[in-house]
Amino acid sequence: MYFELLDLSPEERQHRLSALPDATLREHVRGLLETSQIEISEIVSSAASSVLETLEPERFGPWRVTGIIGHGGMGAVYRAVRDDGVYEREVAIKVLPSGAQSSDRRERFRQERQMLAILDHPNIAHMLDGGEGATGSYIVLEYVDGTDIISYCDARGLSRDDRLRLLLSVCAAVQYAHEHGIVHRDLKPANVLVTQNGTPKLLDFGIAKFVEQNTLQTAAGFQALTPQYASPEQVCGGPFTAATDVYALGALAYELLTGARPQEITSGD
């Protein structure tokens, strides 16, 4: 029902919602639509842009910023180099600006930093440093110079077997995270980059959770997800498990092997 309504215009969507006989279901679906990632992404992107207009960090400890890689609801990611003479290395620095730090975002950022400190796997972009700076909290990460897994495979015309070999490496990284009690919850092509030497790297644990923190989510609360790859329990606000990531891996495999997503979702606006 949720995915069907996303494809409708606002007027048609309201008509279909009003026709639902179950009031509880009607309000649940309405809440999901109001907080869907498709609509929220435009809001948080605009907010992040406003913050970035006034934020021009030069360095974080020994790391000197050389440019910006991107930004989103959880802050900005900068390219940087170490220039204190101890050693040289290019890195990516994820920053949660001081002006964008709600208690919920601070906790999510702190949790992401803790997860990355635990994970040490060749197919997961690993953390090198982290801390608090004058401009905000930050995480220093391995810089991955790569292309999302779908574009990488398509550009090289990789065979089915070669695509599956890449996917198996991603599965190994996800399994490793699960063995450490971590569910990624946002597996999608943009979060799996493949380097020039053909090594896939899993990125962005921004909405990942420890299994022990599993709680039932409400439709009225913020639901961070990417609808095209989200599992049924994510869409419905239910408790997550390792199966949440397995579902997303299945959606990724489908796209890798067929060239299409399992389901195309638009805002309908």
Side-chain angles (χ1 to χ4, degrees):
M1 172 61 69
Y2 170 74
F3 291 119
E4 292 176 6
L5 293 179
L6 277 176
D7 289 327
L8 301 179
S9 68
E11 295 77 15
E12 292 174 314
R13 190 183 298 169
Q14 182 58 41
H15 176 73
R16 288 283 299 277
L17 275 174
S18 300
L20 288 175
D22 188 322
T24 301
L25 176 61
R26 183 167 59 246
E27 291 308 309
H28 182 76
V29 175
R30 191 193 308 278
L32 286 173
L33 289 167
E34 289 175 352
T35 59
S36 69
Q37 184 68 10
I38 293 174
E39 297 171 356
I40 288 174
S41 63
E42 297 178 0
I43 299 172
V44 297
S45 179
S46 175
S49 296
S50 298
V51 171
L52 287 171
E53 288 177 359
T54 59
L55 177 65
E56 296 182 356
E58 294 183 358
R59 64 186 311 115
F60 295 90
W63 309 98
R64 177 173 54 84
V65 173
T66 59
I68 186 165
I69 297 173
H71 59 79
M74 281 297 288
V77 180
Y78 297 93
R79 182 180 294 187
V81 294
R82 182 157 184 149
D83 67 351
D84 61 353
V86 176
Y87 63 87
E88 296 181 3
R89 178 161 189 170
E90 187 172 37
V91 298
I93 301 182
K94 186 173 184 178
V95 182
L96 180 63
S98 300
Q101 291 194 15
S102 65
S103 58
D104 179 64
R105 286 186 177 183
R106 280 198 303 271
E107 176 56 26
R108 285 169 61 189
F109 198 83
R110 184 202 65 78
Q111 184 169 268
E112 180 182 6
R113 192 163 55 195
Q114 180 57 40
M115 288 178 180
L116 289 169
I118 293 172
L119 300 175
D120 183 14
H121 190 276
N123 297 113
I124 297 176
H126 59 277
M127 187 178 81
L128 302 171
D129 195 3
E132 305 292 326
T135 53
S137 305
Y138 66 92
I139 303 172
V140 181
L141 299 160
E142 168 191 6
Y143 175 67
V144 180
D145 184 10
T147 309
D148 76 80
I149 189 168
I150 300 294
S151 298
Y152 179 90
C153 292
D154 290 347
R156 289 161 177 77
L158 295 190
S159 67
R160 180 196 61 187
D161 288 352
D162 286 339
R163 290 168 186 250
L164 287 174
R165 271 189 282 271
L166 284 177
L167 184 63
L168 284 174
S169 294
V170 179
C171 291
V174 174
Q175 180 178 353
Y176 175 84
H178 290 174
E179 289 171 352
H180 287 75
I182 297 168
V183 179
H184 188 281
R185 301 202 308 157
D186 196 22
L187 297 172
K188 57 186 178 181
N191 285 339
V192 181
L193 298 186
V194 184
T195 65
Q196 296 303 308
N197 67 4
T199 302
K201 293 279 188 175
L202 181 58
L203 312 174
D204 199 351
F205 282 74
I207 67 169
K209 290 280 188 181
F210 287 107
V211 174
E212 63 189 25
Q213 297 172 326
N214 204 346
T215 57
L216 184 67
Q217 297 170 311
T218 62
F222 175 74
Q223 178 79 333
L225 54 83
T226 302
Q228 292 88 341
Y229 306 93
S231 65
E233 63 270 20
Q234 281 182 290
V235 172
C236 294
F240 63 88
T241 67
T244 300
D245 284 348
V246 174
Y247 180 96
L249 286 171
L252 182 58
Y254 185 98
E255 188 171 356
L256 269 174
L257 298 176
T258 69
R261 293 171 178 169
Q263 45 195 347
E264 290 292 342
I265 300 173
T266 62
S267 65
D269 296 335

